[in-house]
Amino acid sequence: MAKALHLDPWPNQHGVAIKIGYDLNGQPVEEAFFGVYYISQGANSGVNAGMIKQTNWGFQALQSFRAPAGTLDKRMPMFCVIAKSLYVNPEWVRLSKAITDKMMADFNQKLKEGYDQFRAAQAIMDQTMKQQAAFQANFDKQEEAFRSSGGVNDSSLWDGGARSAADHWDDVIRGVDTLNDPNGGTTQLSNLGQYHFTDGFGNYRTTDGPNYTPEKAGEVGSWTQMTAAP
């Protein structure tokens, strides 16, 4: 088992070195370890740039030289020649950079997709809230009319078949408008739109645009705006 006899750090501008002594196969030896300490920090780019930060640190160019105890220092010049003879393959550097760039691009793309999905979900939620608010406003209006009419005992129950307050209340619950149909009788359509049209042949269109007409939208035929049934 190796035994550390001494520990001498040799810091310098580009790296650190540590020399230790220990026994190897019953013989005292010395070994010097060299390395370059690095630290780099970066943040995501593109959508919400800077929200995620990453710190990379560690040692690179690690190497060590060993010699019998008492001989390491005098052999160090030759060891330095060996270290300086290192040749870095430019193709390897290019490939390493390409891989790192690809990983970062994939990370940023996944991050962007996540934010896009979040915004889409938020838009759906906002639309749902608007529809619920419109429903609630209509509900409150109809409830007030219902209370003012005296409930289901309203005289319209006996008024020649006219729709009662209870009928209007039922429309609100089911989210529909009851409309006079030129074809005869009444028709119920979704109350998510304020304006309703029919061509007299059983086709209907609903919109929130006060200036919209099916003809302007390129619809074929003659369209009539429907009125609410009393």
Side-chain angles (χ1 to χ4, degrees):
M1 182 176 180
K3 178 182 179 182
L5 300 180
H6 54 267
L7 182 64
D8 298 322
W10 301 330
N12 58 57
Q13 183 179 359
H14 302 292
V16 294
I18 297 175
K19 182 172 67 174
I20 64 173
Y22 56 93
D23 291 338
L24 179 64
N25 297 325
Q27 301 296 322
V29 297
E30 292 177 318
E31 187 168 358
F33 296 85
F34 299 85
V36 177
Y37 172 77
Y38 71 90
I39 182 170
S40 64
Q41 295 178 318
N44 65 295
S45 59
V47 178
N48 296 290
M51 289 193 64
I52 297 180
K53 296 183 179 180
Q54 179 173 311
T55 299
N56 298 323
W57 67 273
F59 285 90
Q60 59 186 8
L62 289 173
Q63 53 192 307
S64 70
F65 304 100
R66 184 174 62 200
T71 67
L72 180 62
D73 290 342
K74 70 178 181 180
R75 298 187 183 190
M76 193 57 65
M78 180 55 67
F79 289 150
C80 289
V81 172
I82 295 173
K84 291 179 180 180
S85 67
L86 175 67
Y87 171 77
V88 178
N89 187 339
E91 182 63 19
W92 184 90
V93 175
R94 185 199 65 77
L95 180 60
S96 175
K97 183 179 183 303
I99 292 174
T100 300
D101 292 346
K102 180 64 167 57
M103 292 175 64
M104 183 57 69
D106 290 346
F107 171 79
N108 286 327
Q109 178 62 30
K110 292 296 183 182
L111 188 64
K112 179 180 181 300
E113 291 174 358
Y115 281 114
D116 287 345
Q117 292 174 2
F118 173 78
R119 283 193 294 269
Q122 188 64 45
I124 294 174
M125 182 181 296
D126 291 343
Q127 181 62 28
T128 301
M129 293 298 292
K130 290 179 181 178
Q131 292 176 352
Q132 289 179 344
F135 175 84
Q136 185 64 47
N138 193 22
F139 185 90
D140 292 342
K141 180 180 178 180
Q142 296 295 336
E143 182 181 26
E144 180 61 27
F146 181 76
R147 291 179 183 275
S148 300
S149 69
V152 296
N153 294 319
D154 186 70
S155 60
S156 61
L157 285 171
W158 301 276
D159 188 14
R163 303 181 75 244
S164 68
D167 293 327
H168 290 284
W169 179 265
D170 182 70
D171 287 354
V172 174
I173 296 298
R174 294 186 296 110
V176 298
D177 288 333
T178 299
L179 307 155
N180 295 313
D181 195 326
N183 291 325
T186 59
T187 297
Q188 292 186 330
L189 301 175
S190 170
N191 64 7
L192 294 180
Q194 300 182 50
Y195 308 98
H196 308 278
F197 298 84
T198 181
D199 62 356
F201 295 98
N203 299 307
Y204 304 95
R205 300 291 184 269
T206 297
T207 180
D208 270 330
N211 299 319
Y212 168 91
T213 64
E215 289 88 348
K216 289 181 179 179
E219 298 277 2
V220 177
S222 178
W223 295 80
T224 302
Q225 185 171 343
M226 304 171 71
T227 59

